[in-house]
Amino acid sequence: MSTPFLSVRDLRVHFSTEDGVVKAVDGLDFDLEQGKTLGIVGESGSGKSVTNLAILGLHHKDSTAIGGEILLDGQELLTATERELERLRGNKMAMIFQDALASLSPYHTIGRQIGETYRKHTGASKKEARARSIEMLTKVGIPQPDLRVDDYPHQFSGGMRQRAMIAMSLVCNPTLLIADEPTTALDVTVQAQIMDLLKDLQQEFGTSIIFITHDLGVIADIATTSS
Amino acid sequence: MFRFLLRRIAGGAVILLIISAIVFVLFYAAPRDPARLACGKVCTPETLALVKQNLGIADPLPVQYWHWFEGLFVGRDYATFGNCPAPCLGYSFRNSEPVLGTILDRFPTTVSLSLGSAVVFVIFGVGSGMLAAVKQGKALDKIASSASLIGSSLQIYIVGVFAIYLFTDQLGWLDRPSYTPFTENPGAWFSGLLLPWLVLSVIFTANYTRMTRSQLVETLSEDYVRTARAKGLAARTVFFRFAWRGAMGPIVTIFGLDLGVLFGGAIITEKTFNLHGIGELSVKAVSTSDLPMLLGVVLVAATAILVFNVIVDAVYALIDPRVRLA
């Protein structure tokens, strides 16, 4: 067996609250290999999202105590500096959030939001970033991408927003993609389309995916390993 | 955008018309008779009638209003003062000065006072609110929050008097408040208004600190701010491009309204520092039953608020694309 691409060992995420310490995650281990999909299932409040926010380093630093280790491609993430994490986020590891409307900025066009990730990590020009945004929108199946690129999120339908979100997270060809209930807010047909899209993109780019859901049917469909 | 502005301006004109009519009616509902005041101690019915005739208040109310309204657009002929070209706001009952001239004379003081203090309170208020939001829960936040609580409970007429006593009389750091036109002597303009600016902005600074902080605390926890961080954008970019962008709307709205109110005269500040602006003029117009002056001042104040409202709406559309289509 090859060395795992992402390895989480004895992960503990504890929040200090007014009512004492909440142990959201206590001693979690898992490995994920390149190009595979790990499904994480659990009821609400079982620490699924918290685990993944911790991988990206997006937890609240002041009120959260994290222990254990997270190795991404040999790099320890929990001890990484904010600057190192910035370089990894959106670039090597990306995340798709559950509520695409709330997770996309209402103040910027879809194209700009996709493009700014690309510009940040590749130093591309505005023009290149725009071309890349259109390319990504095409890939995720948005019709008339060269027009829709200048739209704002509120001008997109729910399914299109989630596609745009996926386009945004994949714009730098990340090796790790964390999808946090990406289909929960969508209806069943769109859900199936999004799942297919993720599978296609995974095959194309060889991305490892952590797929969080509370829907076992979805997990059976996509995951190679479940925990 | 153009049609939107046109619609707003037309609506504003209607509102001004209604306001002026209300002032007219209210003025006559008040028990004081301006003719009686102008008539003097020995007042025969004949002189009273003559005074009324001269002041233009002998006619029935709608006719008077019509004359006043007409004067705005085509000018007006007075028996005593001769022709008053459009836009004519009439002559003061109290000192027979043309209303428009008096207002134009006073307006620069009020504008200087308002804009100067706005610069101070926006820089300090929004700045410290941002710091407090970034350092949420830390010592700096607590200091800023308590200071703004104290600041917003202060009163200008206390702070002002105390500040003059301390900084002008005792320490001699600041000049005695006065107004010199900017075009005449920018240095004297600045030093004469510095103390009023600072005092007037104390309460505003406190309010803007609190408002900015609470807006930013809210937007900083928005999902799209988390997304921006998940994309690897630097903390500074996330703060200004995403969190601040979201917090700006309500702050701009309040700022526009505040500026509109200030342009209508900062009555207490002007009184405290003995500055002769629109606010002081309006108080005097009310206390001397000076109808033409009162109407003029009210119109200026209402226009200021309406103009800033339109500006705020336009700026809001620039900030938030979601309101552009509506």
Side-chain angles (χ1 to χ4, degrees), chain B residues 38-115:
Chain B
C39 187
K41 274 192 178 146
V42 204
C43 189
T44 61
E46 290 76 37
T47 21
L48 192 66
L50 190 68
V51 170
K52 278 195 172 173
Q53 196 64 47
N54 283 343
L55 291 178
I57 54 174
D59 299 323
L61 198 53
V63 177
Q64 277 187 52
Y65 183 69
W66 173 249
H67 283 319
W68 178 83
F69 183 69
E70 204 181 28
L72 283 178
F73 297 96
V74 295
R76 214 172 152 180
D77 285 313
Y78 286 89
T80 32
F81 310 113
N83 182 260
C84 164
C88 177
L89 287 171
Y91 288 83
S92 162
F93 284 174
R94 188 170 55 89
N95 56 12
S96 305
E97 294 282 328
V99 169
L100 188 65
T102 311
I103 288 175
L104 288 179
D105 190 46
R106 300 294 190 91
F107 205 49
T109 309
T110 294
V111 171
S112 301
L113 183 63
S114 314
L115 288 183

Side-chain angles (χ1 to χ4, degrees), chain B residues 224-241:
Chain B
Y224 65 80
V225 171
R226 186 182 60 187
T227 311
R229 288 180 62 210
K231 294 201 291 190
L233 299 178
R236 182 187 294 264
T237 315
V238 173
F239 183 81
F240 285 105
R241 198 183 291 167

Side-chain angles (χ1 to χ4, degrees), chain A residues 4 6-12 27-31 67-71 78:
Chain A
L6 173 75
S7 143
V8 172
R9 286 283 163 271
D10 191 29
L11 182 70
R12 280 160 291 138
L28 174 74
D29 301 284
F30 67 79
D31 291 318
E69 60 171 32
I70 303 173
L71 281 171
L78 288 183

Side-chain angles (χ1 to χ4, degrees), chain A:
Chain A
M1 204 169 119
S2 59
T3 44
F5 169 65
L6 173 75
S7 143
V8 172
R9 286 283 163 271
D10 191 29
L11 182 70
R12 280 160 291 138
V13 185
H14 296 178
F15 301 117
S16 46
T17 67
E18 280 171 12
D19 303 327
V21 176
V22 175
K23 296 180 178 178
V25 181
D26 208 17
L28 174 74
D29 301 284
F30 67 79
D31 291 318
L32 177 61
E33 283 167 48
Q34 188 93 43
K36 294 285 170 57
T37 301
L38 170 72
I40 300 183
V41 206
E43 69 269 34
S44 306
S46 61
K48 309 184 296 284
S49 298
V50 167
T51 305
N52 292 288
L53 286 176
I55 295 176
L56 260 75
L58 292 177
H59 51 277
H60 224 281
K61 301 248 168 7
D62 296 332
S63 56
T64 316
I66 290 208
E69 60 171 32
I70 303 173
L71 281 171
L72 177 76
D73 214 3
Q75 187 178 3
E76 173 57 58
L77 295 184
L78 288 183
T79 55
T81 64
E82 191 58 30
R83 192 156 280 263
E84 285 169 334
L85 284 173
E86 269 171 26
R87 233 172 283 139
L88 292 173
R89 285 183 206 139
N91 191 15
K92 217 167 169 182
M93 51 185 187
M95 189 150 179
I96 302 172
F97 294 99
Q98 179 178 355
D99 183 352
L101 181 60
S103 301
L104 289 168
S105 161
Y107 308 110
H108 305 96
T109 61
I110 295 283
R112 172 151 182 204
Q113 295 189 55
I114 298 174
E116 73 189 341
T117 316
Y118 191 63
R119 289 186 68 190
K120 159 86 188 182
H121 296 295
T122 62
S125 73
K126 263 193 180 154
K127 227 174 134 186
E128 289 163 343
R130 190 187 150 84
R132 175 71 178 168
S133 303
I134 296 173
E135 186 191 337
M136 289 310 294
L137 287 177
T138 316
K139 249 182 211 150
V140 296
I142 301 280
Q144 295 183 292
D146 48 333
L147 294 176
R148 302 312 296 261
V149 71
D150 294 321
D151 276 357
Y152 290 91
H154 68 273
Q155 293 165 305
F156 270 38
S157 72
M160 281 163 74
R161 274 180 216 132
Q162 199 53 273
R163 285 164 188 270
M165 186 88 204
I166 293 171
M168 193 169 84
S169 53
L170 293 175
V171 69
C172 290
N173 297 336
T175 36
L176 172 67
L177 179 68
I178 301 171
D180 188 357
E181 309 207 22
T183 60
T184 312
L186 306 171
D187 65 62
V188 185
T189 9
V190 184
Q191 211 169 358
Q193 289 169 5
I194 298 279
M195 300 300 296
D196 287 342
L197 175 68
L198 278 176
K199 273 193 262 182
D200 290 347
L201 293 170
Q202 179 174 38
Q203 260 168 17
E204 192 178 337
F205 299 117
T207 314
S208 310
I209 299 179
I210 298 180
F211 199 97
I212 308 170
T213 184
H214 55 244
D215 187 337
L216 285 167
V218 171
I219 277 291
D221 186 37
I222 194 164
T224 37
T225 338
S226 304
S227 48

Side-chain angles (χ1 to χ4, degrees), chain B residues 150-292:
Chain B
I150 296 170
S152 55
S153 46
L154 290 175
Q155 293 298 335
I156 289 173
Y157 47 83
I158 297 171
V159 184
V161 171
F162 181 73
I164 294 180
Y165 172 76
L166 185 67
F167 295 113
T168 306
D169 297 345
Q170 294 299 314
L171 300 167
W173 289 354
L174 297 172
D175 282 2
R176 187 157 289 282
S178 65
Y179 177 74
T180 318
F182 181 79
T183 44
E184 220 167 79
N185 184 345
W189 174 80
F190 184 83
S191 64
L193 286 173
L194 188 57
L195 191 58
W197 284 340
L198 294 176
V199 171
L200 177 57
S201 56
V202 164
I203 294 168
F204 283 106
T205 302
N207 288 338
Y208 277 74
T209 303
R210 283 146 56 94
M211 186 168 60
T212 306
R213 181 191 177 277
S214 67
Q215 286 297 330
L216 276 171
V217 164
E218 208 178 303
T219 54
L220 278 168
S221 63
E222 290 281 358
D223 282 357
Y224 65 80
V225 171
R226 186 182 60 187
T227 311
R229 288 180 62 210
K231 294 201 291 190
L233 299 178
R236 182 187 294 264
T237 315
V238 173
F239 183 81
F240 285 105
R241 198 183 291 167
F242 294 88
W244 171 237
R245 181 74 179 262
M248 242 160 77
I251 295 172
V252 166
T253 305
I254 302 291
F255 178 65
L257 293 178
D258 280 345
L259 214 53
V261 171
L262 281 175
F263 268 46
I267 296 173
I268 295 173
T269 310
E270 286 173 18
K271 275 273 177 202
T272 308
F273 296 108
N274 199 23
L275 296 168
H276 302 289
I278 298 287
E280 196 244 352
L281 195 61
S282 64
V283 173
K284 204 170 273 173
V286 171
S287 61
T288 57
S289 301
D290 192 348
L291 176 65

